[in-house]
Amino acid sequence: MASKLMRGLIYLAAAVTFGSLFYVVGFILIKGIPYLNMEMFAWNYTTDNVSLMPSLITTFIVVGMTLLIATPIGVFTGFYLVEYAKKGNKFVEIIRIATDTLAAVPSIVYGLFGMLFFVTFLGFQYSVLAGVLTSVIMVLPLIIRSTEEALLAVNDSLREASFALGAGKLRTISKVILPVSMPGILSGVILASGRVVGETAALLYTLGSSTNLPDSLFSSGRTLALHMYVLSSEGTHVNESYATGVVLIVFVLVINGLSTFLSNRLTKGTR
């Protein structure tokens, strides 16, 4: 009886979760697809075409630069915490607590910090650089924790077997541990990229909301999520904001597809 009740609750939770997801995605697709047109993909933004192309390119730039900076820092930190730091080290425990705490901080707090530090104190103004650095701080805890969990999931017998065969620490990490943990690490990077793509609050305070394509790191711009938010809040292009939401969903699916393909290629032969 108890097992049937538990199974029913599990099915109910799964139905609520997937039902909510399908409802939200379906609602945006139904409302947005009819308003997709070629003018929305014009190179320059005007009040007539409300083109999303500058925002689409800015999103690529912000996500790419954020991952380029945050991924090596986060992954190397995760390797240090698991492979090099001593077990029971108090300093490591403090880092883990700080990482968990920072991962739960709302994005608007990161936005306010980025505005005060990067935009005002360092004088970067509302720019791509300020937005990227704020995004890096925001996704670092996520990448560190996912890397840690992926490394902790690797069976210690693999490490012991490698050492027994005479391999050094670095060779064991690069040839044995890294290939096995790669899917988990990439999952964290995918989640981090998704958070940057969908972010509005942190970037609104640091990246700005210029409709032009940024011509340097110190130029303002807007990502697709910001573009959708601004169009919706203005109240005059609500239908176009739904259409932007459709492009945003496709954008996220493409990133996830590419990441999965890359993960499969990198781990080919290790499974």
Side-chain angles (χ1 to χ4, degrees):
M1 182 63 185
S3 62
K4 289 183 179 179
L5 178 61
M6 183 61 69
R7 184 181 299 175
L9 290 174
I10 291 173
Y11 287 152
L12 178 62
V16 171
T17 302
F18 287 106
S20 302
L21 176 64
F22 287 136
Y23 174 77
V24 171
V25 174
F27 181 80
I28 294 174
L29 294 178
I30 292 171
K31 299 281 283 186
I33 287 177
Y35 295 95
L36 280 174
N37 55 64
M38 291 306 297
E39 290 184 348
M40 293 188 67
F41 295 92
W43 190 254
N44 295 316
Y45 173 96
T46 67
T47 53
D48 292 326
N49 64 25
V50 290
S51 172
L52 57 80
M53 185 55 75
S55 303
L56 182 62
I57 297 174
T58 304
T59 305
F60 272 112
I61 295 172
V62 172
V63 173
M65 290 185 64
T66 299
L67 295 183
L68 195 64
I69 299 172
T71 301
I73 297 175
V75 170
F76 288 154
T77 303
F79 270 98
Y80 166 75
L81 293 175
V82 176
E83 302 296 337
Y84 288 97
K86 292 182 179 178
K87 305 292 182 185
N89 190 323
K90 295 294 181 186
F91 181 66
V92 172
E93 292 301 321
I94 293 173
I95 292 177
R96 284 178 176 149
I97 293 172
T99 305
D100 289 340
T101 304
L102 288 173
V105 171
S107 60
I108 193 170
V109 176
Y110 287 104
L112 291 173
F113 170 79
M115 183 182 67
L116 292 173
F117 186 69
F118 297 120
V119 176
T120 304
F121 181 73
L122 296 182
F124 292 163
Q125 305 298 320
Y126 291 110
S127 62
V128 172
L129 184 59
V132 166
L133 293 177
T134 304
S135 299
V136 168
I137 296 173
M138 187 174 63
V139 301
L140 260 179
L142 183 60
I143 296 177
I144 292 172
R145 289 300 290 161
S146 61
T147 302
E148 243 192 299
E149 294 300 327
L151 294 176
L152 289 172
V154 178
N155 198 317
D156 282 338
S157 61
L158 291 177
R159 295 179 176 87
E160 294 166 359
S162 179
F163 292 142
L165 292 173
K169 185 82 171 179
L170 187 59
R171 190 171 183 82
T172 299
I173 291 175
S174 60
K175 297 295 183 182
V176 178
I177 299 174
L178 184 60
V180 175
S181 60
M182 184 61 77
I185 295 173
L186 282 179
S187 295
V189 176
I190 293 170
L191 290 175
S193 66
R195 182 165 187 185
V196 177
V197 170
E199 186 52 51
T200 55
L203 295 176
L204 185 63
Y205 289 119
T206 53
L207 180 62
S209 59
S210 172
T211 57
N212 298 322
L213 185 65
D215 53 10
S216 74
L217 289 177
F218 296 96
S219 299
S220 178
R222 64 166 70 167
T223 59
L224 274 177
L226 270 178
H227 183 68
M228 183 174 64
Y229 168 75
V230 173
L231 291 183
S232 177
S233 60
E234 287 175 346
T236 54
H237 297 96
V238 176
N239 293 327
E240 285 76 7
S241 71
Y242 283 118
T244 305
V246 174
V247 177
L248 190 59
I249 291 173
V250 174
F251 185 86
V252 173
L253 290 176
V254 170
I255 288 181
N256 287 348
L258 288 175
S259 302
T260 304
F261 173 76
L262 182 63
S263 174
N264 291 334
R265 294 282 294 181
L266 290 174
T267 58
K268 189 176 181 181
T270 62
R271 290 176 292 181

